[in-house]
Amino acid sequence: MAVFSFDDSDVLGRVFSVDTTTVVIDVENDQALTSMQVNRLVALESIAGQHLVGMIQKITRKELVLDAVEDIEASPIQNLVKVALIGTLFDKRKQQENVFTRSIEAVPRIHAACYAIENEALTRFMRVLSSTDVDESSSPLKIGVYTLDDVAEAYLDGDRFFQRHAVVVGSTGSGKSWTTAQLLEQVAGLSNGNALVFDIHGEYGSLKEKGFRHLKVAGPGDLGDGKGIEDGLIYLPYWLLSYEAIVPMFVDRSDSNAPNQTVMMTELIRQSKESFLKDNGDEEVLANFTLDSPVPFDVEKVLKALKEKDVEMVAGSGGKPKQGPYFGKLTRLVARFESKINDRRLGFLFRGDNSSDYLNKLAVALTASAGEQDVDGGGVKVIDFSEVPSDILPLVISLVARMVFALQQWTLSENRQPIALFCDEAHNYIPDRSQADAAAEISIDIFEKIAKEGRKYGVGLVVISQRPSEVNRTVLSQCNNFVAMRLTNTEDQNRIKALLPENLGGYADILPALDTGEALVVGDASLLPARVKVHEPRLKPNSATVPFWEKWSSDDKREDLAQAVRNWQRQSTKKLDS
């Protein structure tokens, strides 16, 4: 049975003008005009067995100049409707009936009829969308139901969603975290699912069931308790830092001696790595390693050598000692070294396992899929960064992202297991370059590289933010899928509009009017740009807005403030054994 079966009485108007992807409809019947609404769907006559499907973008009522009207009896009012073409519905294509594609093989002819897609026709069309998504995609991803017809399931192509990167945006309270949790639930349910979640505030800690594994970057309260990766506690050794990351951590670029400090520090680190490889008899790595190679080195020995160089005396003329070339030039570097090493907040960098085997354990914990994990399930790894100092958060997250990308890059293509990086609160560590400090610049570089090249190595990005206007432009420009929830800030709305295809830019005008849990879904993974009611996740993230008035009206007492003070002092919310 054909999805669309229209007759002459159903005609809303006729094609008045045609552009590449835009059509203007002339509507003579005023009553028909009142039934048309912006963002509703219409069908246009095409060649036999096909209908073009479009979305209403603009409705205008224009008064004509009477002198230009040849027939004085003609109406001086012209009703025009602008429609963006979004795809073609085939009555039959190859062996399949009723197939919708986003291709537009033929534009409508002038005077072709335009019909509204509503009631039974809308229901049948939405069912075609759902069945086409499921049939054509080897990995359908259920997102919710269409707002136009809440019986029809809205699916995304899971391959295209992660291959071509995605953006999930929305103001606080719009349902952004629920949408993310709903996506993660489906990834966790796959037999070989593989995703890494950068959890900045610990709000995804409640997603606990088979398929999820929770990891935490060691905080000050975790140091020295003997726990490790097996217990979900991870350390990120300093020797994993790249040259670009380690220099700004220890060297103050405003210091007049910064070039000397950089040269000496990097040379001592290189020597220390070389010594480690020689002591372990690793000749293969020794022959090819660089300063950026993830090879352990003894930071205490490097510090000791820096102190010696800072006070070194060398033989001068006549055998008299004189100050060495670095005498007094490394003092501030030594002080910064000691400060960083002794800072308990940075214990996850300097207090962990520095053996060569630790890198293998860390690689498995962070990048192994559900089927590759030693533990039961765990395809979705949620990393809690809530106790990482905000000033180095971009540096630490970029360290993990760089490690994941490097492992994928150095894995043989036939053995790669794709992985998706869910970047929650991305504006904090992938900011626009105009707002970036030294640490954020390093983070931007690695995420821009992943955005541009990740598809080739099986690394997908899901950028999640409540402030898309503050997220790096290059990263966003590489994302071809958008799940945009309510956005009330004009700058944020404009950023999303600029990223949408030109003929759909006006579709984003309804962003501030979306209800909680509603989203505009546009991109390569979606057959139809659509307004969708996102399914509520089974596992709720800890992101619910605090009910101010309800709390103020209740008689509930506040939690012990003394404990909050203690947690603040020791920089940890970890419960201590009584």
Side-chain angles (χ1 to χ4, degrees), residues 17 64 79 100 105 149 151 158 209 260 289 298 305 348 359 394 425 490 502 505 527 545:
S17 68
L64 300 176
N79 302 322
F100 178 77
E105 299 180 0
D149 184 350
V151 176
E209 66 173 24
N260 289 319
F289 89 100
D298 192 331
F348 61 89
L359 184 56
E425 304 290 357
T490 304
E502 186 176 348
L527 272 179
T545 304

Side-chain angles (χ1 to χ4, degrees), residues 265-541:
M265 180 185 69
T266 53
E267 175 57 23
L268 291 173
I269 289 174
R270 190 199 65 78
Q271 292 176 9
S272 185
K273 288 189 175 187
E274 183 178 36
S275 176
F276 176 88
L277 293 172
K278 286 180 178 178
D279 291 344
N280 286 271
D282 198 338
E283 298 296 331
E284 184 180 5
V285 176
L286 183 61
N288 299 288
F289 89 100
T290 67
L291 191 65
D292 281 344
S293 297
V295 175
F297 68 90
D298 192 331
V299 71
E300 294 288 352
K301 288 184 178 179
V302 171
L303 176 58
K304 182 181 178 182
L306 286 172
K307 288 180 177 179
E308 292 172 352
K309 288 289 183 181
D310 191 44
V311 296
E312 182 182 43
M313 302 293 289
V314 298
S317 59
K320 292 183 179 181
K322 67 174 185 178
Q323 295 178 351
Y326 293 97
F327 188 93
K329 296 178 180 179
L330 306 177
T331 305
R332 293 186 64 183
L333 176 61
V334 168
R336 286 172 66 86
F337 245 88
E338 290 181 324
S339 173
K340 298 292 185 183
I341 293 172
N342 295 324
D343 188 345
R344 288 183 63 84
R345 299 180 310 155
L346 304 182
F348 61 89
L349 284 173
F350 299 105
R351 306 287 182 90
D353 186 345
N354 290 321
S355 68
S356 56
D357 290 337
Y358 186 73
L359 184 56
N360 292 326
K361 294 179 182 178
L362 192 59
V364 171
L366 296 180
T367 67
S369 67
E372 298 170 325
Q373 289 278 351
D374 295 331
V375 296
D376 184 23
V380 174
K381 284 80 63 177
V382 180
I383 307 181
D384 183 351
F385 289 91
S386 61
E387 294 187 19
V388 174
S390 59
D391 56 328
I392 65 163
L393 180 66
L395 185 67
V396 177
I397 290 182
S398 67
L399 170 59
V400 176
R402 173 176 170 266
M403 179 180 173
V404 171
F405 184 73
L407 287 168
Q408 292 291 101
Q409 191 175 21
W410 291 104
T411 300
L412 295 177
S413 58
E414 61 269 22
N415 295 328
R416 283 192 190 114
Q417 187 63 258
I419 184 171
L421 305 181
F422 282 73
C423 304
D424 191 38
E425 304 290 357
H427 53 277
N428 287 320
Y429 48 92
I430 321 177
D432 219 17
R433 284 196 180 272
S434 60
Q435 305 172 22
D437 57 16
E441 284 282 356
I442 296 165
S443 181
I444 289 171
D445 287 341
I446 183 59
F447 278 104
E448 283 188 352
K449 187 171 186 178
I450 293 173
K452 294 173 184 176
E453 304 175 21
R455 181 181 59 82
K456 296 183 292 186
Y457 301 109
V459 183
L461 284 179
V462 180
V463 179
I464 307 158
S465 177
Q466 57 184 287
R467 293 306 313 273
S469 61
E470 296 179 4
V471 178
N472 180 263
R473 294 173 184 269
T474 300
V475 171
L476 285 183
S477 70
Q478 297 298 314
C479 296
N480 293 323
N481 296 290
F482 301 90
V483 180
M485 313 196 81
R486 184 177 64 250
L487 286 170
T488 54
N489 184 279
T490 304
E491 292 181 5
D492 295 329
Q493 295 170 21
N494 290 337
R495 177 63 66 87
I496 295 301
K497 288 179 184 178
L499 294 169
L500 294 178
E502 186 176 348
N503 66 324
L504 293 175
Y507 191 39
D509 288 338
I510 63 172
L511 283 173
L514 292 174
D515 195 5
T516 300
E518 272 194 321
L520 296 184
V521 181
V522 182
D524 292 347
S526 175
L527 272 179
L528 181 76
R531 185 171 175 174
V532 169
K533 294 179 182 177
V534 178
H535 282 316
E536 183 178 324
R538 290 181 297 101
L539 304 173
K540 310 294 190 298

Side-chain angles (χ1 to χ4, degrees), residues 56 163 187 207 270 312 334 367 433 493 551 557 561:
I56 296 175
Q163 284 173 345
V187 175
L207 277 61
R270 190 199 65 78
E312 182 182 43
V334 168
T367 67
R433 284 196 180 272
Q493 295 170 21
K551 287 282 188 181
K557 303 298 181 183
L561 274 174

Side-chain angles (χ1 to χ4, degrees), residues 63-85:
E63 185 172 354
L64 300 176
V65 179
L66 289 177
D67 291 344
V69 180
E70 295 180 3
D71 183 359
I72 198 64
E73 299 298 325
S75 170
I77 301 296
Q78 186 176 41
N79 302 322
L80 298 178
V81 176
K82 183 179 179 182
V83 174
L85 299 177

